[in-house]
Amino acid sequence: MDPALAYLDAAEAILKRIREHEMEHIERAAEICAHTIANDGLVHMFATGHSRMMIEEMYPRHGSFPGFHPIVELSLTYHNQVVGANGQRQAMFLEHVEGFAPVILRNFVLQPPDSFLIFSNSGVNEVVVEMALEAKKRDLSVIAVISKDHSRLQAPKHSSGKKLIDLADVTIDNCTPAGDAMVRVEGLDDPVGPGSTIGGAAVTNALKCAIAQRLVALGKPPLVLTSSVFAGAEKSQQGFEDSYDDYQRRLKRVYGG
């Protein structure tokens, strides 16, 4: 089969598995997040490596709304340089350093009704596990988005012996096969074409839509960032300003304001 078509087939299989097996978990996670946002809290989001893309997918972008707070460390996620200063080697080293998560969270005031959403394909690296442990210490509900197939094949790396799946109140499977890369090319030893971005983005946006529905039902419709295609230029621009203002208001407590 043509490798490009093989990738599209594998991507379709991921979406099919999410539809068939993960909707209950997405709905449970949506309940947690909607409760947080409806009560003026924030869903804090953390990821390392390429998983940080899911955080940017959640907010801010068209069709999204405030209530989500990215906690993104450039030292763990900035891949543009690859080598040299801020290179990939440093990022991959730091995600295994225990004690880093408490240092990061020392900058914020986190408390209920806040909740925590962590993206990690493997769900075993030290900093993401430690971030979940720290969130639980603060009585925050933890939602994990991982590849269950990948996580099952990985031994725990954190000294607690825990994986992210062991700590989360709700775990959503991004339904990506273990190893992430999904396509074999004749003459090439290693597979290509990672699938976790497909699965992670699908879960993120399905969750976002489910949360919006619940907020409307609670009488607190979210302030959506809407394209001028739908609302016209003036109304769209005002919607952006209102959404950003709401987000800024929510952040004041988190930053000690």
Side-chain angles (χ1 to χ4, degrees):
M1 176 184 287
D2 177 89
L5 289 176
Y7 181 81
L8 294 178
D9 285 347
E12 287 182 7
I14 287 174
L15 298 179
K16 185 173 185 289
R17 287 196 294 273
I18 292 172
R19 176 187 289 273
E20 292 178 350
H21 301 293
E22 296 307 308
M23 292 310 301
E24 178 183 349
H25 302 133
I26 290 171
E27 298 293 345
R28 286 174 57 202
E31 289 287 346
I32 292 170
C33 295
H35 173 78
T36 292
I37 296 170
N39 288 281
D40 284 337
L42 283 164
V43 180
H44 306 287
M45 302 182 295
F46 183 77
T48 68
H50 289 90
S51 294
R52 69 86 55 88
M53 290 187 287
M54 302 309 110
I55 292 178
E56 295 177 359
E57 185 71 16
M58 186 65 86
Y59 182 84
R61 62 168 302 168
H62 286 101
S64 64
F65 47 88
F68 304 94
H69 174 227
I71 300 177
V72 175
E73 289 291 312
L74 292 182
S75 60
L76 293 167
T77 60
Y78 187 74
H79 292 162
N80 296 33
Q81 300 295 91
V82 185
V83 297
N86 303 301
Q88 186 75 356
R89 291 186 180 95
Q90 297 92 302
M92 293 177 70
F93 175 84
L94 287 172
E95 66 182 358
H96 296 293
V97 175
E98 291 194 29
F100 198 7
V103 172
I104 295 169
L105 292 185
R106 182 68 178 81
N107 295 286
F108 310 106
V109 179
L110 310 184
Q111 62 191 35
D114 293 353
S115 51
F116 223 103
L117 175 58
I118 301 176
F119 296 92
S120 171
N121 198 53
S122 70
V124 299
N125 287 341
E126 289 85 341
V127 72
V128 295
V129 171
E130 195 167 60
M131 193 63 73
L133 287 167
E134 292 296 314
K136 300 301 287 184
K137 286 180 184 178
R138 293 162 173 78
D139 295 323
L140 306 187
S141 295
V142 174
I143 301 160
V145 180
I146 66 168
S147 164
K148 289 184 179 178
D149 282 351
H150 191 107
S151 186
R152 288 189 188 104
L153 294 178
Q154 297 279 288
K157 295 181 180 179
H158 192 268
S159 60
S160 66
K162 301 289 187 182
K163 301 180 184 183
L164 188 53
I165 195 171
D166 300 320
L167 299 167
D169 297 281
V170 180
T171 299
I172 305 172
D173 190 356
N174 67 25
C175 294
T176 304
D180 206 353
M182 303 188 296
V183 176
R184 293 283 179 178
V185 175
E186 186 176 354
L188 188 63
D189 290 338
D190 300 309
V192 295
S196 58
T197 305
I198 297 290
V203 166
T204 297
N205 284 296
L207 177 59
K208 186 188 304 179
C209 294
I211 296 167
Q213 179 189 42
R214 282 162 173 76
L215 290 173
V216 171
L218 290 168
K220 296 189 176 183
L223 297 172
V224 178
L225 299 175
T226 301
S227 169
S228 59
V229 171
F230 298 121
E234 184 176 348
K235 186 175 180 181
S236 173
Q237 183 59 42
Q238 186 59 53
F240 272 67
E241 295 297 333
D242 293 344
S243 182
Y244 295 156
D245 286 345
D246 181 80
Y247 178 66
Q248 184 176 34
R249 176 183 62 80
R250 291 171 186 268
L251 281 185
K252 286 182 180 179
R253 186 261 302 161
V254 172
Y255 284 89

